[in-house]
């Protein structure tokens, strides 16, 4: 006591902070952890229920109602919108979307892994290279898609240069082909592949590679038996992060694909703009959502338990 | 890492990475360069000009759209950051029934394709007979930004020592004071990066906005889209270049700020 | 009518189905240096957090009192406690000075007083205010952070100072120094200290009394000497220091001793104690330093003796351990003072026949757990 020269009242009961109302509210909340949590959760939860869950439910309801003449729906119940999907035209669209999403994922993985590997081992270049990967991630997707048009259209930069250089008489048709959509998707989603792979390679303890070396593994074996299995969680996460938006992509095929390369996303949009078949559009949209959530569930089953969450 | 450095990697690997990174940036770089090109046809270089930028200032639709985008971006971000931060605090600092499920559900809107979110909101707004316009755009943007805010802020809170808040309480601060004097100052960098992410998501969004905007109001991406569809002229390059540069600057600034405020893990 | 600083009366706390603290009772006297010692998961941290107010006892889970007042429903900021955290929990966004002033500001201490009290608190923990006041906690070494955390707590002159393994993260040399300083501060200021640790040596060095916890209960409460020299259970004997354990059954009484027969025909004597009777099983412990080794023909009369062979001689610096294996008992460790192996080496070699001996009064009779 003497050392700190305490005034005598300092040892008495502590003056309670805050005003009466605040004190009473806190005293009421203190023994009620559920109430505390839901006080914080309430506003955001109400918003998300009202403007995410409820819309999805309404959309789901619309998908089983008869089509209204000028858009919208009429009262009643029908599963016509779903049976319509069995028509070859729509099955083709489903198949095309799926194939394209798989191709995008595979190409992104083939390109993204070496890039992520190099960045993880690039020493003092690391932060710069990482910034170069992150930057497109944040750049407007619309602007980047437009940039692809600027390069690929018949009067675009690539074709003009080819012709100017005398390599071609006619422009190579690149835009509005399956190739341009695939290129656009890979270009658009490659950062989603690189970042999680990089994150898992970064965590890899270099001592493990040295241990493999001491145990007699040559570089190729070391990669195959140590690096690759340990970075598999990142690779799988990257594949999911590319596969999902590719499945639901709309803008890329809309701008780079033209009418022939219709994907589910465009089919949905058409039903609400030109075709005015809301039940069918809602059904297509609902199916798309289910497929995406199924892909996530498959991922959660595949994922080893110790994977870090998020990206 | 002792045995690291770009020099130790196989040549082909470094070359491959360089090409990939170059291709990732080539289209946008070309776009920016040609925004200064005098030729209207934009594929051959005929001289330097700022005409396309000047032209932007003359176009009322672009200026109005920019204004709309800023209003939407700032309002939606403010709401989303508030709601999302509160949810994140509950998830990271409170035990409540169904916490794990709640946290998992936060990822559902993130993985749901934009076209699905947009269509379902459109259907809801029509069902409720709500007039489409800035208000519906803001509502939609908040809905898709909140989960991202939650993820970013939860990550920041997870890296923050819970003992700090307990220490404040043993020093006589009640829950409210502790929040404002300890939690919030330490959480700022996380909230700022969440706000930045939220603003950029909102500012860049085309798919959802195009569905819930109605005919009266246009944000910048909607105007750019119609320009791309109709006739391609170099003022799109100019506006695109401005957006890319603005985004990069924002990103750089936020990166510097969050690095300076990195909490020590001591 | 001075009530104790802290009273726990049949306090319980469960998390879901697990009981973290199971109906424990103890008092801490004013000015006492009281330690709670136990392995991780024994409930010591929960006990501390119950006192701090971060956890509240179960409904009908007993009473926690501070200075005679029931505090079960009081929030941490309504209790007269201060705490030093295991990782110090210094606010990284505030300078050293502002960290220490935090509690004073919260208590509406006049601004004019704060600077002086902060400076005195820094002096108290031997940090120069001129050098350290304006630094950020991130610029301090572990030991310095430790001192700032202590100053931040002591500046409030709390009724009780809670210390949650605060010395765990600093190196051995500094830890020893801080142990003595903490003990000195406790005596100098007269503040009650509650110290939670898993390090038995730390608890023995500093404490007036120690509560040893195991499985959510207090296994034993007593002074360091009582705990070390008279452990009540095998857990306490094992957790604090080293011990040799022997089992047997009481056969009959010989003079002032019970005669015990162990496995393999070993016989030894133990002190007569209430509640023991012939035919009963007993477990005893003997500290290694209370044992000695002799040639089989040189055992002093009246001592318990177990014949065996030397299995190993271990050099430990201050002491030498002679490990003797005897039939039907676990190996017995005997600690001998190291009188210099270069000048005066121990006469024992591996394989030598040797008899372990000790005085019957040095047997610690253990209760069942």
């Amino acid at each position: 006591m003497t050392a700190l020269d305490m005034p005598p009242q300092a040892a008495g009961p502590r003056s309670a902070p805050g005003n009466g109302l605040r004190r009473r509210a806190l005293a009421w909340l203190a023994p009620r952890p559920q109430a505390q949590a839901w006080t914080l959760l309430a506003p955001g939860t109400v918003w998300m229920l009202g403007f995410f869950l409820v819309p999805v439910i309404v959309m789901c309801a619309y998908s089983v109602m008869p089509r209204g003449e000028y858009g919208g729906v009429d009262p009643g119940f029908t599963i016509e919108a779903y049976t319509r999907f069995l028509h070859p035209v729509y099955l083709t669209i489903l198949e095309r979307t799926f194939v394209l999403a798989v191709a995008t994922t595979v190409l992104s993985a083939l390109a993204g892994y070496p890039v992520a590997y190099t960045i993880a081992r690039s020493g003092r270049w690391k932060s710069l290279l990482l910034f170069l990967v992150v930057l497109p991630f944040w750049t407007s997707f619309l602007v980047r898609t437009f940039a692809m048009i600027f390069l690929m259209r018949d009067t675009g930069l690539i074709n003009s240069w080819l012709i100017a250089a005398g390599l071609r008489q006619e422009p190579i048709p690149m835009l509005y082909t399956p190739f341009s959509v695939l290129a656009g998707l890979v270009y658009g989603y490659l950062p989603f592949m690189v970042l999680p792979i990089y994150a898992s390679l970064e965590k890899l303890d270099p001592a493990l590679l040295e241990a493999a070396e001491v145990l007699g593994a040559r570089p190729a074996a070391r990669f195959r038996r140590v690096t690759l299995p340990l970075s598999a969680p990142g690779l799988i996460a990257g594949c999911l992060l590319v596969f999902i938006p590719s499945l639901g992509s709309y803008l890329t095929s809309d701008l780079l694909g033209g009418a022939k390369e219709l994907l589910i996303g465009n089919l949905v949009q058409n039903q609400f703009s030109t075709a005015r078949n809301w039940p069918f559009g809602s059904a297509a949209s609902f199916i798309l959502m289910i497929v995406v959530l199924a892909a996530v569930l498959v991922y959660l089953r595949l994922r080893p338990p110790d994977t870090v969450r998020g990206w | 890492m002792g045995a690291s450095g770009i020099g130790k990697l196989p040549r082909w690997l470094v070359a491959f990475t360089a090409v990939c990174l170059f291709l990732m940036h080539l289209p946008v770089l070309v776009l920016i360069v040609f925004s200064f090109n005098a030729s209207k046809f934009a594929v051959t270089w005929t001289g330097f000009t700022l005409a396309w930028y000047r032209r932007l200032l003359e176009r009322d639709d672009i200026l109005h759209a920019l204004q709309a985008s800023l209003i939407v971006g700032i309002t939606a971000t403010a709401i989303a950051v508030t709601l999302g931060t509160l949810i994140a605090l509950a998830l990271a600092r409170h035990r409540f029934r169904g916490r794990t499920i709640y946290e998992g559900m936060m990822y559902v809107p993130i993985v749901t394709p934009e076209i699905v979110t947009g269509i379902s909101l459109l259907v809801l707004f029509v069902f409720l007979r709500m007039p489409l316009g800035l208000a519906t755009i803001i509502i939609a943007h908040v809905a898709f930004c909140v989960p991202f805010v939650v993820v970013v802020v939860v990550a920041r809170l997870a890296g923050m020592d819970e003992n700090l808040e307990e220490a404040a309480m043993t020093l006589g601060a009640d829950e409210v004071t502790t929040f404002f004097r300890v939690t919030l100052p330490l959480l700022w960098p996380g909230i700022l990066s969440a706000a930045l992410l939220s603003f950029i998501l909102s500012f860049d969004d085309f798919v959802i906005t195009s569905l819930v905007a109605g005919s009266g109001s246009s944000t910048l991406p909607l105007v750019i889209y119609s320009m791309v569809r109709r006739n391609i002229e170099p003022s799109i390059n100019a506006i695109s270049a401005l957006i890319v540069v603005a985004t990069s600057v924002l990103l750089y600034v936020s990166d510097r700020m969050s690095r300076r405020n990195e909490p020590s893990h001591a | 009518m001075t009530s104790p600083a802290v009273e726990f009366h049949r306090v319980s706390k469960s998390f879901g189905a697990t009981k973290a603290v199971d109906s424990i009772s103890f008092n801490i006297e004013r000015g006492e240096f009281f330690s709670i010692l136990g392995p991780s998961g024994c409930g010591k941290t929960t006990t501390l957090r119950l006192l701090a107010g971060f956890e509240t006892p179960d409904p009908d889970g007993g009473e926690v009192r501070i200075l005679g007042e029931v505090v079960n429903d009081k929030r941490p900021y309504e209790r007269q406690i201060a705490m030093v955290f295991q990782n110090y929990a210094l606010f990284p966004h505030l300078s050293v000075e502002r960290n220490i002033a935090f509690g004073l500001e919260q208590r509406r201490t006049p601004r004019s007083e704060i600077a002086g009290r902060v400076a005195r608190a820094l002096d108290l923990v031997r940090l120069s205010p001129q050098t350290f006041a304006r630094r950020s906690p991130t610029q301090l070494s572990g030991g310095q952070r430790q001192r700032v955390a202590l100053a931040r707590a002591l500046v409030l002159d709390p009724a009780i100072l809670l210390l949650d393994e605060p010395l765990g993260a600093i190196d051995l040399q500094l830890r020893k120094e801080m142990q003595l300083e903490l003990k000195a501060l406790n005596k100098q200021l007269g503040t009650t200290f509650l110290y939670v640790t898993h390090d038995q040596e730390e608890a023995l060095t500093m404490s007036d009394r120690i509560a040893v916890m195991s499985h959510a209960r207090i296994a034993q409460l007593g002074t360091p000497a009582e705990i070390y020299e008279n452990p009540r259970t095998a857990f306490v004997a094992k957790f604090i220091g080293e011990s040799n354990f022997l089992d047997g059954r009481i056969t009959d009484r010989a003079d002032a001793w019970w005669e015990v027969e162990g496995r393999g025909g070993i016989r030894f004597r133990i002190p007569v104690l209430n509640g023991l009777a012939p035919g009963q099983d007993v477990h005893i412990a003997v500290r290694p330093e209370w044992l000695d080794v002799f040639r089989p023909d040189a055992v002093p009369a009246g001592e318990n003796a177990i014949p065996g062979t030397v299995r190993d001689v271990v050099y430990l610096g201050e002491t030498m351990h002679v490990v003797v294996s005897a039939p039907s008992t676990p190996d017995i460790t005997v600690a001998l003072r190291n009188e210099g192996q270069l000048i005066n080496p121990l006469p024992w070699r591996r394989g030598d026949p040797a008899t372990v001996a000790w005085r019957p009064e040095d047997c610690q009779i253990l209760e069942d757990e």
Side-chain angles (χ1 to χ4, degrees):
Chain A
M1 186 71 82
T2 46
L4 289 174
D5 293 336
M6 288 296 158
Q9 75 271 17
R14 214 172 265 189
S15 65
N19 55 37
L21 185 66
R22 177 157 131 196
R23 249 178 76 200
R24 261 178 290 145
L26 291 177
W28 186 84
L29 281 170
R32 295 176 173 79
Q34 302 282 324
Q36 284 171 37
W38 284 103
T39 307
L40 297 171
L41 291 172
T45 308
V46 167
W47 197 289
M48 292 313 290
L49 290 178
F51 300 114
F52 185 80
L53 186 65
V54 170
V56 168
I57 292 170
V58 172
M59 182 184 82
C60 190
Y62 268 44
S63 73
V64 291
M65 289 166 85
R67 171 187 183 182
E69 203 167 332
Y70 305 102
V73 287
D74 289 337
F77 175 85
T78 170
I79 55 160
E80 198 197 319
Y82 290 93
T83 50
R84 202 170 163 197
F85 261 103
L86 300 175
H87 192 283
V89 175
Y90 302 117
L91 287 180
T92 312
I93 292 176
L94 281 179
E95 189 199 337
R96 181 189 298 136
T97 309
F98 188 77
V99 168
L100 201 59
V102 170
T104 305
T105 308
V106 170
L107 280 179
S108 301
L110 290 177
Y113 198 100
V115 172
Y117 186 90
T118 309
I119 296 177
R121 303 266 176 284
S122 59
R124 63 200 173 89
W125 291 87
K126 199 183 284 179
S127 54
L128 174 70
L129 296 181
L130 209 52
F131 182 74
L132 287 178
V133 175
V134 173
L135 192 58
F137 194 78
W138 291 80
T139 309
S140 163
F141 195 77
L142 180 61
V143 165
R144 297 173 66 214
T145 308
F146 166 62
M148 291 295 272
I149 297 180
F150 191 74
L151 285 185
M152 294 200 295
R153 63 191 155 142
D154 286 356
T155 57
L157 199 70
I158 298 175
N159 276 320
S160 322
W161 281 358
L162 286 177
I163 292 167
L167 294 171
R168 295 278 302 189
Q169 306 295 313
E170 293 290 307
I172 305 172
M174 282 181 284
L175 215 52
Y176 313 125
T177 62
F179 165 76
S180 62
V181 180
L182 185 59
L185 288 172
V186 173
Y187 167 68
Y189 298 131
L190 190 57
F192 289 104
M193 182 65 81
V194 176
L195 292 176
I197 299 176
Y198 164 79
S200 65
L201 284 170
E202 167 79 329
K203 272 191 318 191
L204 196 147
D205 184 352
L208 294 177
L209 298 177
E210 290 170 0
E213 213 166 6
V214 171
L215 294 170
R218 291 176 187 284
R222 211 171 62 185
F223 177 77
R224 193 169 44 80
R225 298 187 58 187
V226 180
T227 310
L228 193 57
L230 286 174
S231 58
L235 182 61
I236 294 171
C239 287
L240 181 83
L241 292 177
V242 172
F243 183 72
I244 285 181
S246 305
L247 262 190
S249 73
Y250 158 73
L251 200 56
T252 312
S253 49
D254 182 55
L255 287 176
L256 303 179
K260 274 186 295 179
E261 300 305 324
L262 210 60
L263 303 181
I264 300 190
N266 311 88
L267 179 69
V268 172
Q269 203 270 345
N270 284 350
Q271 301 311 310
F272 285 86
S273 55
T274 48
R276 297 214 162 265
N277 189 342
W278 286 34
F280 187 55
S282 298
S285 175
F286 190 66
I287 289 173
L288 176 57
M289 186 173 178
I290 295 300
V291 172
V292 164
L293 291 182
V296 175
L297 287 180
V298 168
Y299 161 73
L300 292 176
R301 295 299 296 274
L302 278 179
R303 185 177 67 161
D306 60 340
T307 315
V308 285
R309 188 187 46 210
W311 45 76
Chain B
M1 283 217 287
S4 81
I6 214 157
K8 303 222 170 180
L9 292 168
R11 280 277 173 76
W12 64 266
L13 199 57
V14 177
F16 179 81
T17 302
V19 169
C20 277
L21 287 174
F22 178 70
L23 287 178
M24 270 167 90
H25 293 276
L26 177 72
V28 170
L29 282 177
V30 168
L31 201 68
I32 294 174
V33 168
F34 276 83
S35 72
F36 299 106
N37 187 10
S39 159
K40 187 166 165 57
F41 298 102
V43 281
T44 42
W45 184 262
T46 55
F48 181 87
T49 178
L50 286 174
W52 308 114
Y53 289 88
R54 250 180 268 124
R55 178 95 179 260
L56 289 179
L57 295 174
E58 294 157 11
R59 288 190 54 166
D60 279 346
D61 59 338
I62 287 186
L63 293 177
H64 278 133
L66 176 65
Q67 193 189 11
S69 277
L70 289 174
I71 291 172
V72 169
I74 290 168
T75 317
T77 297
I79 301 173
V81 165
T82 310
L83 300 181
T85 303
L86 292 178
I87 293 178
L89 282 166
L91 286 176
R93 289 288 184 267
H94 292 268
R95 298 182 210 128
F96 59 94
R97 253 170 265 134
R99 209 191 67 102
T100 325
I101 296 173
Y102 194 105
E103 208 173 358
M105 291 316 264
M106 268 295 131
Y107 286 88
V108 174
I110 293 180
V111 298
T112 301
E114 282 182 291
I115 186 88
V116 176
T117 311
I119 289 295
S120 64
L121 278 164
L122 169 66
V123 169
L124 177 83
F125 292 143
V126 171
F127 178 71
L128 296 176
R129 304 206 158 71
M130 278 177 77
L132 300 181
L134 278 190
T136 50
I137 299 178
I138 291 171
I139 288 175
H141 283 206
V142 172
F144 72 70
C145 288
V146 165
F148 286 98
V149 173
V150 173
V151 170
V152 172
V153 178
V154 161
R156 178 78 187 189
L157 277 166
M160 212 169 104
D161 181 6
E162 238 174 293
N163 282 345
L164 293 173
E165 285 147 323
E166 295 185 346
M169 290 217 251
T170 64
L171 296 171
D174 68 13
E175 286 83 352
V176 178
T177 312
T178 301
F179 177 76
F180 284 106
R181 285 201 60 184
V182 177
T183 316
L184 200 57
L186 292 170
L187 202 52
W188 258 131
I191 292 179
L192 279 183
S193 33
L196 179 74
L197 174 62
S198 173
F199 181 79
I200 291 182
L201 285 173
S202 164
F203 195 81
D204 283 348
D205 181 72
F206 167 74
V207 177
I208 295 174
T209 312
S210 69
L211 292 163
V212 300
S215 50
S217 41
S218 260
T219 60
L220 206 50
L222 300 196
V223 172
I224 295 176
Y225 178 83
S226 64
M227 285 164 77
V228 172
R229 287 247 92 157
R230 266 184 282 125
N231 56 327
I232 294 188
E233 59 148 20
S235 30
I236 318 177
N237 294 31
I239 184 79
S240 301
L242 287 177
I243 290 177
V244 170
V245 169
T247 311
S248 312
V249 168
L250 265 181
L251 192 61
Y252 181 74
V253 169
S254 96
D255 190 52
R256 289 304 296 266
M257 268 192 322
S258 68
R259 248 178 234 190
R260 204 178 46 208
N261 291 317
E262 230 10 61
S264 69
H265 294 286
Chain C
M1 56 135 269
T2 47
S3 41
V6 173
E7 294 158 85
F8 268 60
H9 184 67
R10 305 184 65 80
V11 174
S12 296
K13 175 70 187 173
S14 336
F15 296 107
T18 3
K19 268 204 187 285
V21 167
D22 189 1
S23 189
I24 62 171
S25 303
F26 62 89
N27 289 352
I28 304 177
E29 298 308 324
R30 295 193 181 192
E32 197 175 12
F33 198 123
F34 190 92
S35 293
I36 301 181
L37 172 65
S40 60
C42 70
K44 60 184 193 300
T45 302
T46 308
T47 306
L48 183 85
R49 293 174 63 83
L50 281 163
L51 186 55
F54 298 132
E55 312 289 352
T56 40
D58 293 337
D60 304 320
E63 264 180 11
V64 179
R65 288 168 181 264
I66 294 178
L67 301 177
E69 186 195 5
V70 179
V71 293
N72 282 25
D73 297 326
K74 296 256 186 210
R75 305 291 298 138
Y77 45 85
E78 295 167 328
R79 302 182 180 203
Q80 293 190 56
I81 47 122
M83 183 158 166
V84 178
F85 289 80
Q86 190 168 13
N87 59 359
Y88 320 134
L90 296 177
F91 304 125
H93 60 303
L94 301 178
S95 66
V96 164
E97 181 178 50
R98 303 265 299 137
N99 260 283
I100 300 174
F102 191 102
L104 295 172
E105 288 161 12
Q106 232 35 66
R107 241 161 268 203
R108 315 237 187 303
T109 307
R111 211 157 265 286
S112 53
E113 240 179 72
I114 291 182
R117 283 176 65 175
V118 168
R120 279 198 296 281
L122 276 171
D123 277 333
L124 194 65
V125 296
R126 303 191 202 192
L127 289 177
S128 144
Q130 285 79 18
T131 322
F132 290 100
R134 306 213 174 258
R135 289 211 189 155
S136 154
T138 51
Q139 297 169 294
L140 303 180
S141 72
Q144 289 163 344
R145 278 183 205 159
Q146 164 74 65
R147 284 163 193 272
V148 174
L150 195 57
R152 185 175 72 173
L154 285 174
V155 77
L156 300 174
D157 189 37
I160 304 133
L161 178 65
L162 311 179
L163 300 115
D164 184 9
E165 309 212 14
L167 304 184
I170 54 182
D171 59 59
L172 187 66
Q173 184 79 34
L174 202 54
R175 195 152 73 219
K176 299 238 166 191
E177 202 179 303
M178 281 306 291
Q179 285 173 8
L180 296 179
E181 259 182 70
L182 281 176
K183 194 171 173 177
L185 277 172
N186 166 252
K187 298 299 168 238
Q188 178 191 350
L189 300 174
T191 308
T192 312
F193 279 33
L194 173 59
Y195 194 97
V196 164
T197 180
H198 67 268
D199 181 338
Q200 41 115 357
E201 197 193 323
E202 210 165 87
L204 293 175
T205 309
M206 293 187 287
S207 317
D208 294 320
R209 284 193 305 153
I210 301 173
V212 183
M213 283 190 77
S214 153
H215 299 299
R217 289 170 173 275
I218 293 180
Q220 188 170 1
L221 198 160
T223 62
E226 283 165 359
I227 301 260
Y228 186 82
E229 292 168 23
N230 212 351
R232 263 180 42 200
T233 64
F235 169 80
V236 177
K238 254 183 270 182
F239 194 73
I240 291 117
E242 282 184 71
S243 248
N244 297 293
F245 296 92
L246 294 166
D247 300 331
R249 176 167 292 172
I250 298 177
T251 51
D252 50 62
R253 184 152 179 171
D255 308 328
W257 316 108
W258 288 118
E259 193 81 37
V260 178
E261 187 177 326
R263 259 176 300 163
I266 299 167
R267 303 184 70 82
F268 52 90
R269 291 170 170 195
I270 61 172
V272 170
L273 210 77
N274 289 338
L276 291 180
Q280 208 174 331
D281 287 332
V282 288
H283 310 283
I284 69 150
V286 191
R287 298 284 181 198
E289 66 269 28
W290 298 342
L291 298 172
D292 208 342
V293 224
F294 298 96
R295 302 267 168 226
D297 52 357
V299 180
E303 295 208 355
N304 290 325
I306 297 178
T309 26
V310 174
R311 200 172 72 87
D312 205 355
V313 179
V314 186
Y315 190 92
L316 290 169
E318 227 174 302
T319 52
M320 300 292 298
H321 277 183
V322 180
V323 183
V324 176
S325 45
S328 341
T329 60
D331 287 350
I332 299 170
T333 303
V334 182
L336 302 173
R337 212 159 74 85
N338 179 7
E339 287 166 347
Q341 296 309 300
L342 299 177
I343 304 162
N344 189 12
L346 280 180
W348 303 104
R349 294 287 166 272
R350 210 169 288 181
D352 286 353
T355 298
V356 176
W358 72 99
R359 296 180 307 176
E361 59 263 41
D362 287 339
C363 290
Q364 304 164 332
I365 300 161
L366 304 173
E367 292 171 18
D368 288 330
E369 280 174 76

